[in-house]
Amino acid sequence: MAVCGSRTHIGNFVGNMTARCLQCSLSVKSCSVSYNKRGFQNVTKANISLGNKGQPNNFMLYQYFKTNVAKRRTNLNPHKGFGLEGFHNLSHECFFSGIASASNVSSDNSKGTEQIVDVVNSSEAKISLQLNSGSFYLPHPAKAKTGGEDAHFICTLTPAIGLADGVGGWADLGIDAGLYARELMSHSLSAIQDEPKGSIDLIRVLEKAYVRTKAKGSSTACIVALTEGGLYAVNLGDSGFMLVRNGCAAFKSPSQQHGFNFPYQLDCNNAGDSPSSAMVFKITVVPGDVLIVGTDGLFDNLYDEDISGVVFQAMEAGLGPQMTAQRIAELAQLRAMDHTKSSPFSDGAREAGFDYHGGKLDDITVVVSYITE
């Protein structure tokens, strides 16, 4: 994941399109990062009616688990049986991994923007739903030894998923932004567990995690929870999520960027964006829907139809969510290394006036959740 400290420095991408640059004032003991910021006060709401459309051998981490919206407590350890005993275990109900624009929706990437998405009749949504989820992570090959800069968690007691993508540009200053991403997600998970039962506030969760994170660096953040009302999500930056229904993309969270390859981000110096700048989503869902949450390593390299196509084929083959996540991540990495085909990243580069072809090699985190009764 890349960043540029000012839109006036967008020309820095000509030499190395995929690298992130930081505009810093350096001293022996500190680094300050300046950003061009913009604020908005308006809140937009969007309502969507969705019909059924036509069907259109690297370092690996994964976890498979089930979550229930009824929040039934369990004493089982979800790590057992998956070779993950060495991972940071925040609770028996949670897993933490950190080794290391929507169609028909109006959005201006504004501060505090809320999207209310009605995809089914409200009476149909009054059923108990659960998430059957799996994750898969492929760090950038050059960062495999340190585990990359992505981090994610999955929580079963309060059904929620979170991920963060550390800004790679900090490496130029000798700082591993993956540490910031991991600490941010660790605190997010703890904050979720502290939320009152039945009244989770994800903006409050993100604010607590942001204040408690002390590592150097910056990152994007995306947290999605399953509540009795459906999916409830907050997203800041160019990580995000999409919902697949009947083999087609039903909804995708818009990317928040100040400029090309310059996403919104939370930052250690309080000089970046604030948690209140995150977009908020409330989405009704039904059994059979598939949720995909990922970092920009996924969405920069695969188009919506690529992702929904893999999901459709996986469902037809009876594959579980972890294997589906693995297939999506591996396809994204394959496209990232292909310099001959267009990608969402190359499309954005050309729209910004750059001559760039192919995908963008990056850390890739994919979390897939099957929504079932």
Side-chain angles (χ1 to χ4, degrees):
M1 194 258 280
V3 67
C4 184
S6 169
R7 287 185 227 175
T8 61
H9 284 66
I10 195 69
N12 289 336
F13 288 105
V14 175
N16 187 352
M17 183 66 67
T18 61
R20 307 260 172 153
C21 60
L22 293 169
Q23 182 183 1
C24 297
S25 178
L26 294 174
S27 67
V28 175
K29 296 183 179 180
S30 65
C31 169
S32 62
V33 183
S34 60
Y35 297 85
N36 283 340
K37 292 187 63 179
R38 56 178 179 175
F40 300 87
Q41 298 301 324
N42 59 307
V43 175
T44 63
K45 295 184 178 181
N47 292 282
I48 301 178
S49 248
L50 299 170
N52 295 335
K53 300 181 180 179
Q55 310 293 345
N57 297 319
N58 293 298
F59 179 91
M60 300 176 292
L61 299 174
Y62 64 86
Q63 169 74 345
Y64 181 89
F65 62 97
K66 299 181 73 173
T67 65
N68 194 306
V69 73
K71 302 178 182 177
R72 291 176 292 190
R73 295 180 181 271
T74 174
N75 291 322
L76 298 177
N77 186 343
H79 296 184
K80 187 175 182 180
F82 294 97
L84 296 169
E85 290 79 2
F87 280 89
H88 179 38
N89 187 0
L90 292 179
S91 81
H92 289 301
E93 294 80 17
C94 301
F95 166 78
F96 176 79
S97 173
I99 295 182
S101 132
S103 175
N104 299 325
V105 177
S106 61
S107 170
D108 55 5
N109 291 338
S110 58
K111 180 178 180 180
T113 299
E114 178 175 295
Q115 307 280 348
I116 300 178
V117 185
D118 296 322
V119 296
V120 294
N121 184 289
S122 59
S123 62
E124 299 179 23
K126 302 301 182 181
I127 56 177
S128 179
L129 298 176
Q130 68 178 17
L131 296 179
N132 181 7
S133 307
S135 65
F136 198 82
Y137 176 39
L138 289 171
H140 189 297
K143 304 173 184 177
K145 289 184 178 180
T146 59
E149 293 156 343
D150 284 2
H152 73 280
F153 71 80
I154 48 182
C155 188
T156 58
L157 182 58
T158 300
I161 298 163
L163 56 78
D165 179 2
V167 175
W170 287 91
D172 296 336
L173 307 175
I175 295 171
D176 179 6
L179 297 176
Y180 184 91
R182 291 191 283 276
E183 188 177 343
L184 181 69
M185 287 297 97
S186 178
H187 288 310
S188 295
L189 180 51
S190 297
I192 285 176
Q193 295 173 308
D194 292 339
E195 284 292 289
K197 184 177 180 180
S199 60
I200 186 171
D201 184 336
L202 291 183
I203 289 292
R204 180 169 59 206
V205 165
L206 194 57
E207 287 175 342
K208 287 182 179 179
Y210 174 58
V211 170
R212 294 171 181 172
T213 300
K214 305 303 180 183
K216 291 291 184 180
S218 60
S219 80
T220 65
C222 181
I223 305 174
V224 185
L226 180 62
T227 69
E228 293 183 355
L231 292 179
Y232 170 29
V234 296
N235 187 56
L236 187 141
D238 56 4
S239 296
F241 67 95
M242 66 181 290
L243 188 71
V244 173
R245 174 172 297 168
N246 298 326
C248 298
F251 179 79
K252 182 180 179 183
S253 59
S255 175
Q256 284 184 308
Q257 299 196 53
H258 295 290
F260 173 67
N261 215 28
F262 179 16
Y264 282 35
Q265 61 199 259
L266 301 177
D267 150 277
C268 63
N269 295 317
N270 297 319
D273 300 289
S274 67
S276 62
S277 297
M279 298 184 74
V280 180
F281 305 86
K282 296 179 180 179
I283 305 174
T284 51
V285 290
V286 296
D289 287 350
V290 180
L291 171 69
I292 301 96
V293 187
T295 52
D296 66 332
L298 167 63
F299 296 113
D300 277 346
N301 290 298
L302 294 184
Y303 294 101
D304 296 354
E305 57 267 27
D306 295 326
I307 299 172
S308 59
V310 175
V311 169
F312 177 73
Q313 293 176 1
M315 299 289 284
E316 287 285 291
L319 300 181
Q322 183 275 319
M323 184 57 69
T324 303
Q326 178 177 338
R327 290 195 172 188
I328 293 173
E330 289 176 340
L331 179 59
Q333 189 177 73
L334 188 66
R335 293 287 178 82
M337 295 185 291
D338 189 336
H339 301 295
T340 63
K341 294 183 179 179
S342 294
S343 68
F345 183 81
S346 65
D347 292 345
R350 286 193 292 271
E351 289 177 4
F354 300 103
D355 183 18
Y356 184 88
H357 302 278
K360 173 193 172 189
L361 197 57
D362 201 352
D363 299 327
I364 299 170
T365 297
V366 181
V367 183
V368 172
S369 299
Y370 293 169
I371 298 174
T372 62
E373 291 187 48

